[in-house]
């Protein structure tokens, strides 16, 4: 269908910080809006609020304004046909007090300006400070469409006072809908070692989780030769965490293993392609696990946050351990098992993954239909 109606939509999220997971969220939303807009007959022009608007414009080919320059933000919203807030974990106070007021403030500004507001597949919480809860509920009640990425987020909103009439929809993370551009995943080179992708971050202050992970990967190397490929999703922190683990692997080359680390990905699809080459993904970062699932790569999740458990539950999986309790022997045994039983893993989850990928486009379709009216 040829687009007949032009609409401008402002996107608010954790964009421009070059965190691969959040950039993947942005890329996924942009693609979904473009495709669903065309289907609905709407030419959607996105304007992204970014900490680095020049980089965001260059990377995605969209208009972008600085997220901290209120005058520019207000002008962009005033000249738009609506605001999207999301996705990702925007409304949480685990990382500080500023996140919730900022993102609620952007939504409220759009509402003051009389613009429709849409919450796009957000993960809500944790919200430890009670003062934030009525504020979230008040702003959300005035939103025209609300979707969250798990049932736990929907439950938290109900606890805050949103009721059935407020129509909170549960959908997958947008990144489940991200595809590799113009090509199918590359077939492994015959005789090449299976690639075990590893995505880590600093979380446990004593670093016992990363030390145990290193021991588990070393044990896996004793069981079978593999190529351990570290995939930093956020620079410089994840790169430093990856090298911390690498230093503790020992001389795994003696076992026929190889170890490497990916350089910083300029675009989310570069990291998606890295994951697509893996035979197994061991991940702490949520979006490393989502990338793997979207490409039907067997995965082992290490939980540091309930959002990891929530996502794994949607593909009938559980964490292999947590940042507080990770048994290296279990990690090695499960890693070996999944490398041997990869096809069975894919078959048992194929329907679930297909459905998650389809549902990931639902918010974009709903927003496009709203804008078409």
């Amino acid at each position: 269908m040829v687009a007949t109606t032009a609409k401008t939509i402002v996107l608010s999220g954790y964009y421009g910080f070059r965190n691969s997971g959040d950039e993947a969220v942005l890329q996924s939303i942009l693609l979904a809006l473009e495709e669903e807009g065309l289907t609905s007959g709407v030419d959607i022009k996105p304007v992204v609020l970014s900490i680095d608007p020049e980089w965001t414009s260059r990377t995605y080919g969209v208009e972008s304004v600085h997220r901290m320059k209120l005058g520019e933000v207000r002008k962009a919203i005033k000249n738009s046909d609506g605001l999207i807030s999301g996705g990702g974990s925007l409304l949480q106070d685990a990382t500080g007090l500023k996140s919730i007021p900022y993102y609620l403030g952007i939504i409220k500004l759009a509402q003051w300006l009389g613009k429709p507001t849409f919450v796009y597949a957000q993960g809500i919480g944790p919200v430890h400070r009670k003062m934030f809860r009525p504020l979230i509920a008040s702003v959300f009640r005035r939103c025209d469409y609300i979707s969250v990425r798990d049932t736990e987020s929907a439950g938290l909103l109900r606890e805050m006072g949103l009721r059935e009439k407020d129509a909170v929809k549960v959908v997958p993370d947008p990144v489940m809908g991200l595809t590799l551009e113009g090509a199918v995943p590359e077939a492994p080179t015959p005789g090449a070692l299976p690639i075990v992708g590893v995505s880590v971050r600093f979380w446990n202050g004593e670093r016992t989780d990363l030390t145990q992970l290193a021991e588990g990967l070393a044990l896996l190397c004793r069981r079978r030769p593999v190529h351990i490929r570290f995939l930093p999703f956020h620079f410089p922190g994840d790169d430093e965490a990856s090298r911390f683990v690498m230093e503790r692997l020992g001389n795994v080359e003696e076992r026929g293993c190889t170890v490497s680390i990916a350089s910083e990905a300029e675009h989310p699809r570069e990291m998606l392609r890295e994951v697509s080459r893996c035979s197994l993904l061991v991940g702490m970062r949520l979006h490393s696990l989502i990338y793997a699932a979207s490409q039907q790569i067997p995965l082992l999740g290490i939980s540091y946050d309930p959002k990891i458990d929530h996502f794994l539950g949607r593909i009938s999986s559980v964490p292999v351990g947590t940042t507080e309790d990770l048994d290296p022997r279990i990690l090695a045994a499960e890693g070996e098992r999944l490398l041997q039983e990869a096809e069975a893993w894919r078959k048992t989850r194929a329907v679930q993954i297909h459905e998650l990928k389809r549902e990931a486009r639902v918010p974009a379709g709903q927003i496009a239909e709203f804008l078409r009216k």
Side-chain angles (χ1 to χ4, degrees), residues 14-53:
Y14 192 73
Y15 305 140
F17 292 88
R18 309 196 191 191
N19 179 315
S20 183
D22 292 287
E23 297 303 326
V25 166
L26 174 58
Q27 174 70 97
S28 303
I29 294 175
L30 291 173
L31 290 172
L33 287 173
E34 180 182 13
E35 294 175 10
E36 296 296 330
L38 289 173
T39 299
S40 299
V42 184
D43 180 12
I44 298 177
K45 177 190 175 185
V47 178
V48 179
L49 305 184
S50 170
I51 197 67
D52 188 347

Side-chain angles (χ1 to χ4, degrees), residues 253-283:
E253 288 81 2
E254 290 182 350
R255 301 281 180 174
C257 292
T258 59
V259 181
S260 65
I261 184 168
S263 56
E264 184 173 9
E266 183 76 5
H267 194 283
R269 276 178 163 158
E270 294 175 23
M271 186 59 78
L272 182 62
R273 187 166 297 283
E274 283 275 2
V275 173
S276 76
R277 298 184 180 115
C278 296
S279 299
L280 170 69
L281 190 286
V282 180

Side-chain angles (χ1 to χ4, degrees), residues 30 37 51 57 62-63 93 100 115 128 140 149 207 211 257 267 270 278 291 297 305 354 363 368 371:
L30 291 173
I51 197 67
S57 293
V62 297
E63 184 179 342
D93 57 6
I100 291 176
K115 305 300 179 179
H128 298 297
F140 272 36
R149 70 185 180 197
R207 309 288 186 247
T211 301
C257 292
H267 194 283
E270 294 175 23
C278 296
Y291 275 11
I297 305 297
D305 186 282
H354 175 78
L371 294 173

Side-chain angles (χ1 to χ4, degrees), residues 91-242:
L91 298 178
Q92 51 78 28
D93 57 6
T95 58
L97 290 173
K98 296 180 180 179
S99 183
I100 291 176
Y102 172 80
Y103 291 110
L104 282 185
I106 296 296
I107 300 173
K108 194 66 179 176
L109 175 59
Q111 292 172 348
W112 279 336
L113 292 170
K115 305 300 179 179
T117 50
F118 314 99
V119 177
Y120 198 123
Q122 283 198 28
I124 310 298
V127 182
H128 298 297
R129 295 160 181 86
K130 292 183 179 180
M131 63 179 178
F132 288 139
R133 297 191 172 209
L135 296 176
I136 293 171
S138 174
V139 172
F140 272 36
R141 285 193 192 101
R142 292 192 58 192
C143 289
D144 296 89
Y145 174 79
I146 304 170
S147 58
V148 295
R149 70 185 180 197
D150 49 60
T151 56
E152 292 78 9
S153 293
L156 183 55
L157 289 177
R158 284 194 296 272
E159 290 178 17
M160 292 178 187
L162 270 74
R163 300 301 175 213
E164 197 69 34
K165 64 181 178 65
D166 299 303
V168 177
K169 307 297 183 183
V170 179
V171 297
D173 189 286
V175 178
M176 279 301 299
L178 187 61
T179 57
L180 285 169
E181 190 173 23
V184 296
E186 299 173 15
T189 304
L193 293 177
I195 299 174
V196 177
V198 180
S199 166
V200 294
R201 63 170 299 169
F202 287 129
W203 188 259
N204 182 326
E206 296 179 356
R207 309 288 186 247
T208 54
D209 51 345
L210 299 184
T211 301
Q212 290 165 338
L213 173 61
E215 185 178 340
L217 293 172
L219 286 174
L220 177 60
C221 282
R222 293 179 190 174
R223 291 170 176 262
R224 61 176 298 166
V226 294
H227 174 182
I228 300 174
R229 176 78 166 162
F230 286 87
L231 305 175
F233 270 62
H234 194 191
F235 277 74
D238 289 9
D239 182 75
E240 294 168 1
S242 296

Side-chain angles (χ1 to χ4, degrees), residues 267-338:
H267 194 283
R269 276 178 163 158
E270 294 175 23
M271 186 59 78
L272 182 62
R273 187 166 297 283
E274 283 275 2
V275 173
S276 76
R277 298 184 180 115
C278 296
S279 299
L280 170 69
L281 190 286
V282 180
M284 290 176 66
R285 287 284 185 189
L286 173 64
H287 285 103
S288 72
L289 302 172
I290 294 175
Y291 275 11
S294 75
Q295 300 302 305
Q296 298 191 50
I297 305 297
L299 55 88
L300 293 173
I302 299 170
S303 180
Y304 72 94
D305 186 282
K307 65 186 180 183
I308 304 295
D309 307 69
H310 299 164
F311 173 71
L312 292 175
R314 300 194 76 169
I315 56 169
S316 301
S317 296
V318 296
V320 70
T322 71
T323 50
E324 302 301 322
D325 183 17
L326 179 61
D327 188 324
R329 295 165 298 179
I330 294 176
L331 187 143
E334 285 298 293
E336 183 182 33
R337 182 182 66 81
L338 286 181

